[in-house]
Amino acid sequence: MNGKTVMACIEAAHATLKEHTDEIAALDQQIGDGDHIFNLLRGIDALLAMRAEIEAEAFASALDLAASKLLSTVGGSSGPLFFSLLHGMAKASAASAHAMSLADAARIFAAGVDAVAQRGKAGIGSKTMMDVLIPVASRFAELADTNAAPEAVFDALPQVAQANMLATRDMLATKGRASFLGERSRGHIDPGARSSQLMIEAVCARLAQDRE
Ligand code: ADP
Ligand code: MG
């Protein structure tokens, strides 16, 4: 895991968000202000423009570099939240000098998700990206605890993300802009849950491919 890995994951996230731009824009038009995917793509485009710098860094500093860039380019609610995710992961990975184990990766991801929770003060059930991030972090920790094979992890986490993304459809939004709609927020998938799920799926597929 190094800056090249981080860049490969950013590319994978970019590809899936480009592919699903119209769909995510429509979701955010229904329960938000429509800008979520465009905020995210602006940030990811800025990361693609600094490929050489990110690739030259070690894992933790590459994540930190990307985090700061996202903070200054994404905006909206999700800019500071994605900053927290990557910065939280960077802080947790700085300590491990040895090659990253599955347990390290699970702990690092969980630290990132905890940082988002502290920033956004949303738990499970508020109809946000946390409804995807928290269950994925929990399942990742369980799989690491039972010494699952990396292939099994790359297979399981996208399924957890998918099921929990779909579950946001029936939830009442109690955080973020969608909460202003009250009961009318029900019946629509949360755009941040969808973008997070797609990025998790793409990153897992990319990391699985790199192992082949
Ligand atoms: P804004 O609502 O400011 O326009 P974005 O459109 O960038 O922000 O992002 C909206 C997404 O951010 C929502 O779909 C939701 O998943 C996520 N979100 C909003 N508030 C929070 C929060 N407090 N914690 C976690 N995620 C949140
Ligand atoms: Mg928005």
Side-chain angles (χ1 to χ4, degrees), residues 28 33 35-37 39 74-79 81 116 120-122 127-130 175-177 190-193:
D28 198 31
D33 56 358
D35 63 349
H36 177 65
I37 185 63
N39 291 342
V74 176
S77 312
S78 49
L81 297 171
V116 185
K121 308 267 182 288
K127 196 179 180 99
T128 71
M129 63 175 80
M130 300 312 286
K175 288 280 176 192
R177 209 177 280 281
D190 175 63

PDB file of all heavy atoms in Angstrom, residues 28 33 35-37 39 74-79 81 116 120-122 127-130 175-177 190-193, ligand 1:
ATOM      1  N   ASP A  28     -30.135  13.249  -5.661  1.00  0.00           N
ATOM      2  CA  ASP A  28     -29.931  14.450  -4.841  1.00  0.00           C
ATOM      3  C   ASP A  28     -30.927  15.550  -5.226  1.00  0.00           C
ATOM      4  O   ASP A  28     -31.204  16.437  -4.422  1.00  0.00           O
ATOM      5  CB  ASP A  28     -28.479  14.946  -4.956  1.00  0.00           C
ATOM      6  CG  ASP A  28     -28.087  15.889  -3.814  1.00  0.00           C
ATOM      7  OD1 ASP A  28     -28.623  15.729  -2.691  1.00  0.00           O
ATOM      8  OD2 ASP A  28     -27.271  16.799  -4.043  1.00  0.00           O
ATOM      9  N   ASP A  33     -30.120  19.136  -2.883  1.00  0.00           N
ATOM     10  CA  ASP A  33     -30.096  20.283  -3.794  1.00  0.00           C
ATOM     11  C   ASP A  33     -29.427  19.940  -5.126  1.00  0.00           C
ATOM     12  O   ASP A  33     -29.156  20.831  -5.924  1.00  0.00           O
ATOM     13  CB  ASP A  33     -29.410  21.486  -3.130  1.00  0.00           C
ATOM     14  CG  ASP A  33     -28.013  21.143  -2.662  1.00  0.00           C
ATOM     15  OD1 ASP A  33     -27.603  19.968  -2.824  1.00  0.00           O
ATOM     16  OD2 ASP A  33     -27.327  22.029  -2.130  1.00  0.00           O
ATOM     17  N   ASP A  35     -26.451  18.830  -5.932  1.00  0.00           N
ATOM     18  CA  ASP A  35     -25.034  19.116  -6.230  1.00  0.00           C
ATOM     19  C   ASP A  35     -24.075  18.009  -5.776  1.00  0.00           C
ATOM     20  O   ASP A  35     -22.887  18.065  -6.105  1.00  0.00           O
ATOM     21  CB  ASP A  35     -24.609  20.444  -5.590  1.00  0.00           C
ATOM     22  CG  ASP A  35     -24.696  20.400  -4.063  1.00  0.00           C
ATOM     23  OD1 ASP A  35     -25.276  19.438  -3.517  1.00  0.00           O
ATOM     24  OD2 ASP A  35     -24.189  21.335  -3.423  1.00  0.00           O
ATOM     25  N   HIS A  36     -24.574  17.009  -5.046  1.00  0.00           N
ATOM     26  CA  HIS A  36     -23.664  16.042  -4.412  1.00  0.00           C
ATOM     27  C   HIS A  36     -22.650  15.428  -5.388  1.00  0.00           C
ATOM     28  O   HIS A  36     -21.437  15.464  -5.138  1.00  0.00           O
ATOM     29  CB  HIS A  36     -24.457  14.933  -3.716  1.00  0.00           C
ATOM     30  CG  HIS A  36     -23.593  13.875  -3.112  1.00  0.00           C
ATOM     31  ND1 HIS A  36     -22.744  14.146  -2.067  1.00  0.00           N
ATOM     32  CD2 HIS A  36     -23.418  12.567  -3.414  1.00  0.00           C
ATOM     33  CE1 HIS A  36     -22.081  13.034  -1.753  1.00  0.00           C
ATOM     34  NE2 HIS A  36     -22.471  12.067  -2.558  1.00  0.00           N
ATOM     35  N   ILE A  37     -23.119  14.884  -6.493  1.00  0.00           N
ATOM     36  CA  ILE A  37     -22.192  14.217  -7.422  1.00  0.00           C
ATOM     37  C   ILE A  37     -21.228  15.228  -8.063  1.00  0.00           C
ATOM     38  O   ILE A  37     -20.066  14.913  -8.307  1.00  0.00           O
ATOM     39  CB  ILE A  37     -22.963  13.394  -8.496  1.00  0.00           C
ATOM     40  CG1 ILE A  37     -21.996  12.604  -9.381  1.00  0.00           C
ATOM     41  CG2 ILE A  37     -23.863  14.253  -9.362  1.00  0.00           C
ATOM     42  CD1 ILE A  37     -21.179  11.573  -8.669  1.00  0.00           C
ATOM     43  N   ASN A  39     -20.174  18.040  -6.695  1.00  0.00           N
ATOM     44  CA  ASN A  39     -19.198  18.382  -5.652  1.00  0.00           C
ATOM     45  C   ASN A  39     -18.088  17.325  -5.625  1.00  0.00           C
ATOM     46  O   ASN A  39     -16.895  17.648  -5.613  1.00  0.00           O
ATOM     47  CB  ASN A  39     -19.862  18.382  -4.268  1.00  0.00           C
ATOM     48  CG  ASN A  39     -20.846  19.526  -4.080  1.00  0.00           C
ATOM     49  OD1 ASN A  39     -20.810  20.500  -4.825  1.00  0.00           O
ATOM     50  ND2 ASN A  39     -21.724  19.409  -3.099  1.00  0.00           N
ATOM     51  N   VAL A  74     -14.280  20.064  -2.690  1.00  0.00           N
ATOM     52  CA  VAL A  74     -15.598  19.417  -2.764  1.00  0.00           C
ATOM     53  C   VAL A  74     -16.724  20.334  -2.285  1.00  0.00           C
ATOM     54  O   VAL A  74     -17.741  20.501  -2.956  1.00  0.00           O
ATOM     55  CB  VAL A  74     -15.628  18.072  -1.991  1.00  0.00           C
ATOM     56  CG1 VAL A  74     -17.031  17.478  -2.001  1.00  0.00           C
ATOM     57  CG2 VAL A  74     -14.650  17.091  -2.616  1.00  0.00           C
ATOM     58  N   GLY A  75     -16.558  20.936  -1.122  1.00  0.00           N
ATOM     59  CA  GLY A  75     -17.614  21.806  -0.590  1.00  0.00           C
ATOM     60  C   GLY A  75     -18.825  21.019  -0.125  1.00  0.00           C
ATOM     61  O   GLY A  75     -18.747  19.804   0.046  1.00  0.00           O
ATOM     62  N   GLY A  76     -19.945  21.682   0.067  1.00  0.00           N
ATOM     63  CA  GLY A  76     -21.166  21.040   0.556  1.00  0.00           C
ATOM     64  C   GLY A  76     -20.943  20.405   1.918  1.00  0.00           C
ATOM     65  O   GLY A  76     -19.954  20.697   2.596  1.00  0.00           O
ATOM     66  N   SER A  77     -21.856  19.535   2.318  1.00  0.00           N
ATOM     67  CA  SER A  77     -21.672  18.804   3.580  1.00  0.00           C
ATOM     68  C   SER A  77     -20.614  17.747   3.393  1.00  0.00           C
ATOM     69  O   SER A  77     -19.893  17.398   4.311  1.00  0.00           O
ATOM     70  CB  SER A  77     -22.945  18.060   3.994  1.00  0.00           C
ATOM     71  OG  SER A  77     -24.044  18.886   3.903  1.00  0.00           O
ATOM     72  N   SER A  78     -20.551  17.202   2.164  1.00  0.00           N
ATOM     73  CA  SER A  78     -19.725  16.017   2.008  1.00  0.00           C
ATOM     74  C   SER A  78     -18.224  16.317   1.920  1.00  0.00           C
ATOM     75  O   SER A  78     -17.425  15.440   2.204  1.00  0.00           O
ATOM     76  CB  SER A  78     -20.202  15.152   0.843  1.00  0.00           C
ATOM     77  OG  SER A  78     -20.392  15.913  -0.307  1.00  0.00           O
ATOM     78  N   GLY A  79     -17.839  17.535   1.566  1.00  0.00           N
ATOM     79  CA  GLY A  79     -16.405  17.883   1.509  1.00  0.00           C
ATOM     80  C   GLY A  79     -15.706  17.614   2.835  1.00  0.00           C
ATOM     81  O   GLY A  79     -14.762  16.812   2.905  1.00  0.00           O
ATOM     82  N   LEU A  81     -16.735  15.868   5.239  1.00  0.00           N
ATOM     83  CA  LEU A  81     -16.925  14.470   5.654  1.00  0.00           C
ATOM     84  C   LEU A  81     -15.912  13.556   4.951  1.00  0.00           C
ATOM     85  O   LEU A  81     -15.306  12.693   5.586  1.00  0.00           O
ATOM     86  CB  LEU A  81     -18.357  14.024   5.373  1.00  0.00           C
ATOM     87  CG  LEU A  81     -19.429  14.793   6.168  1.00  0.00           C
ATOM     88  CD1 LEU A  81     -20.836  14.456   5.666  1.00  0.00           C
ATOM     89  CD2 LEU A  81     -19.324  14.522   7.665  1.00  0.00           C
ATOM     90  N   VAL A 116     -15.487  10.467  10.475  1.00  0.00           N
ATOM     91  CA  VAL A 116     -16.668  11.026   9.787  1.00  0.00           C
ATOM     92  C   VAL A 116     -17.834  11.151  10.779  1.00  0.00           C
ATOM     93  O   VAL A 116     -18.548  12.156  10.797  1.00  0.00           O
ATOM     94  CB  VAL A 116     -17.112  10.155   8.585  1.00  0.00           C
ATOM     95  CG1 VAL A 116     -18.257  10.819   7.838  1.00  0.00           C
ATOM     96  CG2 VAL A 116     -15.953   9.894   7.640  1.00  0.00           C
ATOM     97  N   GLY A 120     -19.753  14.553  11.472  1.00  0.00           N
ATOM     98  CA  GLY A 120     -21.140  14.740  11.019  1.00  0.00           C
ATOM     99  C   GLY A 120     -22.192  14.421  12.064  1.00  0.00           C
ATOM    100  O   GLY A 120     -23.367  14.719  11.869  1.00  0.00           O
ATOM    101  N   LYS A 121     -21.768  13.794  13.161  1.00  0.00           N
ATOM    102  CA  LYS A 121     -22.697  13.445  14.257  1.00  0.00           C
ATOM    103  C   LYS A 121     -23.896  12.625  13.778  1.00  0.00           C
ATOM    104  O   LYS A 121     -25.009  12.793  14.277  1.00  0.00           O
ATOM    105  CB  LYS A 121     -23.209  14.714  14.966  1.00  0.00           C
ATOM    106  CG  LYS A 121     -22.132  15.669  15.435  1.00  0.00           C
ATOM    107  CD  LYS A 121     -21.740  15.376  16.879  1.00  0.00           C
ATOM    108  CE  LYS A 121     -20.681  16.331  17.424  1.00  0.00           C
ATOM    109  NZ  LYS A 121     -19.332  16.117  16.846  1.00  0.00           N
ATOM    110  N   ALA A 122     -23.680  11.782  12.784  1.00  0.00           N
ATOM    111  CA  ALA A 122     -24.757  10.899  12.326  1.00  0.00           C
ATOM    112  C   ALA A 122     -24.351   9.455  12.577  1.00  0.00           C
ATOM    113  O   ALA A 122     -23.201   9.081  12.341  1.00  0.00           O
ATOM    114  CB  ALA A 122     -25.040  11.120  10.843  1.00  0.00           C
ATOM    115  N   LYS A 127     -30.240   8.089   7.444  1.00  0.00           N
ATOM    116  CA  LYS A 127     -30.340   8.196   5.983  1.00  0.00           C
ATOM    117  C   LYS A 127     -29.211   9.053   5.421  1.00  0.00           C
ATOM    118  O   LYS A 127     -29.433  10.086   4.775  1.00  0.00           O
ATOM    119  CB  LYS A 127     -31.704   8.803   5.600  1.00  0.00           C
ATOM    120  CG  LYS A 127     -32.095   8.613   4.121  1.00  0.00           C
ATOM    121  CD  LYS A 127     -33.476   9.241   3.886  1.00  0.00           C
ATOM    122  CE  LYS A 127     -33.927   9.093   2.463  1.00  0.00           C
ATOM    123  NZ  LYS A 127     -34.854   7.950   2.313  1.00  0.00           N
ATOM    124  N   THR A 128     -27.975   8.642   5.707  1.00  0.00           N
ATOM    125  CA  THR A 128     -26.808   9.328   5.137  1.00  0.00           C
ATOM    126  C   THR A 128     -25.804   8.275   4.680  1.00  0.00           C
ATOM    127  O   THR A 128     -26.039   7.068   4.810  1.00  0.00           O
ATOM    128  CB  THR A 128     -26.086  10.219   6.182  1.00  0.00           C
ATOM    129  OG1 THR A 128     -25.425   9.356   7.128  1.00  0.00           O
ATOM    130  CG2 THR A 128     -27.021  11.167   6.897  1.00  0.00           C
ATOM    131  N   MET A 129     -24.661   8.754   4.233  1.00  0.00           N
ATOM    132  CA  MET A 129     -23.560   7.866   3.858  1.00  0.00           C
ATOM    133  C   MET A 129     -23.141   6.962   5.020  1.00  0.00           C
ATOM    134  O   MET A 129     -22.581   5.888   4.811  1.00  0.00           O
ATOM    135  CB  MET A 129     -22.364   8.678   3.358  1.00  0.00           C
ATOM    136  CG  MET A 129     -21.772   9.600   4.392  1.00  0.00           C
ATOM    137  SD  MET A 129     -20.272  10.429   3.796  1.00  0.00           S
ATOM    138  CE  MET A 129     -20.945  11.734   2.797  1.00  0.00           C
ATOM    139  N   MET A 130     -23.434   7.375   6.270  1.00  0.00           N
ATOM    140  CA  MET A 130     -23.058   6.558   7.426  1.00  0.00           C
ATOM    141  C   MET A 130     -23.773   5.216   7.425  1.00  0.00           C
ATOM    142  O   MET A 130     -23.269   4.248   7.995  1.00  0.00           O
ATOM    143  CB  MET A 130     -23.380   7.290   8.744  1.00  0.00           C
ATOM    144  CG  MET A 130     -22.679   8.606   8.926  1.00  0.00           C
ATOM    145  SD  MET A 130     -20.922   8.515   8.574  1.00  0.00           S
ATOM    146  CE  MET A 130     -20.331   7.639  10.005  1.00  0.00           C
ATOM    147  N   LYS A 175     -30.692  13.808   9.348  1.00  0.00           N
ATOM    148  CA  LYS A 175     -29.457  14.610   9.274  1.00  0.00           C
ATOM    149  C   LYS A 175     -29.356  15.201   7.879  1.00  0.00           C
ATOM    150  O   LYS A 175     -29.862  14.625   6.912  1.00  0.00           O
ATOM    151  CB  LYS A 175     -28.218  13.733   9.513  1.00  0.00           C
ATOM    152  CG  LYS A 175     -28.061  13.279  10.935  1.00  0.00           C
ATOM    153  CD  LYS A 175     -27.470  14.367  11.791  1.00  0.00           C
ATOM    154  CE  LYS A 175     -27.420  13.919  13.250  1.00  0.00           C
ATOM    155  NZ  LYS A 175     -27.129  15.001  14.158  1.00  0.00           N
ATOM    156  N   GLY A 176     -28.656  16.304   7.772  1.00  0.00           N
ATOM    157  CA  GLY A 176     -28.402  16.887   6.455  1.00  0.00           C
ATOM    158  C   GLY A 176     -29.638  17.535   5.854  1.00  0.00           C
ATOM    159  O   GLY A 176     -30.705  17.599   6.465  1.00  0.00           O
ATOM    160  N   ARG A 177     -29.470  18.000   4.637  1.00  0.00           N
ATOM    161  CA  ARG A 177     -30.493  18.751   3.921  1.00  0.00           C
ATOM    162  C   ARG A 177     -31.799  17.955   3.766  1.00  0.00           C
ATOM    163  O   ARG A 177     -32.884  18.536   3.820  1.00  0.00           O
ATOM    164  CB  ARG A 177     -29.928  19.063   2.529  1.00  0.00           C
ATOM    165  CG  ARG A 177     -30.422  20.301   1.897  1.00  0.00           C
ATOM    166  CD  ARG A 177     -29.716  20.492   0.557  1.00  0.00           C
ATOM    167  NE  ARG A 177     -28.380  21.057   0.686  1.00  0.00           N
ATOM    168  CZ  ARG A 177     -28.133  22.342   0.885  1.00  0.00           C
ATOM    169  NH1 ARG A 177     -29.107  23.203   0.975  1.00  0.00           N
ATOM    170  NH2 ARG A 177     -26.896  22.786   0.981  1.00  0.00           N
ATOM    171  N   ASP A 190     -30.630   7.618  -0.414  1.00  0.00           N
ATOM    172  CA  ASP A 190     -29.776   8.768  -0.106  1.00  0.00           C
ATOM    173  C   ASP A 190     -28.618   8.850  -1.112  1.00  0.00           C
ATOM    174  O   ASP A 190     -27.910   7.857  -1.315  1.00  0.00           O
ATOM    175  CB  ASP A 190     -29.227   8.633   1.321  1.00  0.00           C
ATOM    176  CG  ASP A 190     -28.235   9.737   1.616  1.00  0.00           C
ATOM    177  OD1 ASP A 190     -28.649  10.911   1.594  1.00  0.00           O
ATOM    178  OD2 ASP A 190     -27.050   9.433   1.816  1.00  0.00           O
ATOM    179  N   PRO A 191     -28.404  10.009  -1.718  1.00  0.00           N
ATOM    180  CA  PRO A 191     -27.332  10.134  -2.721  1.00  0.00           C
ATOM    181  C   PRO A 191     -25.940   9.838  -2.163  1.00  0.00           C
ATOM    182  O   PRO A 191     -25.102   9.227  -2.846  1.00  0.00           O
ATOM    183  CB  PRO A 191     -27.432  11.585  -3.207  1.00  0.00           C
ATOM    184  CG  PRO A 191     -28.318  12.286  -2.237  1.00  0.00           C
ATOM    185  CD  PRO A 191     -29.190  11.251  -1.607  1.00  0.00           C
ATOM    186  N   GLY A 192     -25.683  10.263  -0.923  1.00  0.00           N
ATOM    187  CA  GLY A 192     -24.371  10.011  -0.317  1.00  0.00           C
ATOM    188  C   GLY A 192     -24.165   8.535  -0.007  1.00  0.00           C
ATOM    189  O   GLY A 192     -23.038   8.024  -0.069  1.00  0.00           O
ATOM    190  N   ALA A 193     -25.249   7.846   0.325  1.00  0.00           N
ATOM    191  CA  ALA A 193     -25.158   6.399   0.545  1.00  0.00           C
ATOM    192  C   ALA A 193     -24.838   5.712  -0.787  1.00  0.00           C
ATOM    193  O   ALA A 193     -24.017   4.793  -0.843  1.00  0.00           O
ATOM    194  CB  ALA A 193     -26.464   5.866   1.132  1.00  0.00           C
TER     195      ALA A 193
HETATM  196  P1  ADP B   1     -25.224  19.380   0.882  1.00  0.00           P
HETATM  197  O1  ADP B   1     -26.305  18.681   1.623  1.00  0.00           O
HETATM  198  O2  ADP B   1     -24.554  20.429   1.689  1.00  0.00           O
HETATM  199  O3  ADP B   1     -25.658  19.848  -0.473  1.00  0.00           O
HETATM  200  P2  ADP B   1     -23.772  17.247  -0.476  1.00  0.00           P
HETATM  201  O4  ADP B   1     -24.807  17.338  -1.542  1.00  0.00           O
HETATM  202  O5  ADP B   1     -22.351  17.385  -0.863  1.00  0.00           O
HETATM  203  O6  ADP B   1     -24.078  18.281   0.692  1.00  0.00           O
HETATM  204  O7  ADP B   1     -23.899  15.835   0.259  1.00  0.00           O
HETATM  205  C1  ADP B   1     -25.126  15.298   0.637  1.00  0.00           C
HETATM  206  C2  ADP B   1     -24.879  13.962   1.307  1.00  0.00           C
HETATM  207  O8  ADP B   1     -24.096  14.138   2.479  1.00  0.00           O
HETATM  208  C3  ADP B   1     -26.142  13.289   1.785  1.00  0.00           C
HETATM  209  O9  ADP B   1     -26.694  12.491   0.767  1.00  0.00           O
HETATM  210  C4  ADP B   1     -25.687  12.440   2.972  1.00  0.00           C
HETATM  211  O10 ADP B   1     -25.317  11.127   2.587  1.00  0.00           O
HETATM  212  C5  ADP B   1     -24.437  13.150   3.431  1.00  0.00           C
HETATM  213  N1  ADP B   1     -24.626  13.807   4.715  1.00  0.00           N
HETATM  214  C6  ADP B   1     -25.300  14.936   4.973  1.00  0.00           C
HETATM  215  N2  ADP B   1     -25.207  15.263   6.274  1.00  0.00           N
HETATM  216  C7  ADP B   1     -24.449  14.286   6.866  1.00  0.00           C
HETATM  217  C8  ADP B   1     -23.996  14.046   8.210  1.00  0.00           C
HETATM  218  N3  ADP B   1     -24.264  14.873   9.212  1.00  0.00           N
HETATM  219  N4  ADP B   1     -23.219  12.943   8.404  1.00  0.00           N
HETATM  220  C9  ADP B   1     -22.923  12.103   7.403  1.00  0.00           C
HETATM  221  N5  ADP B   1     -23.329  12.288   6.123  1.00  0.00           N
HETATM  222  C10 ADP B   1     -24.088  13.360   5.870  1.00  0.00           C
END
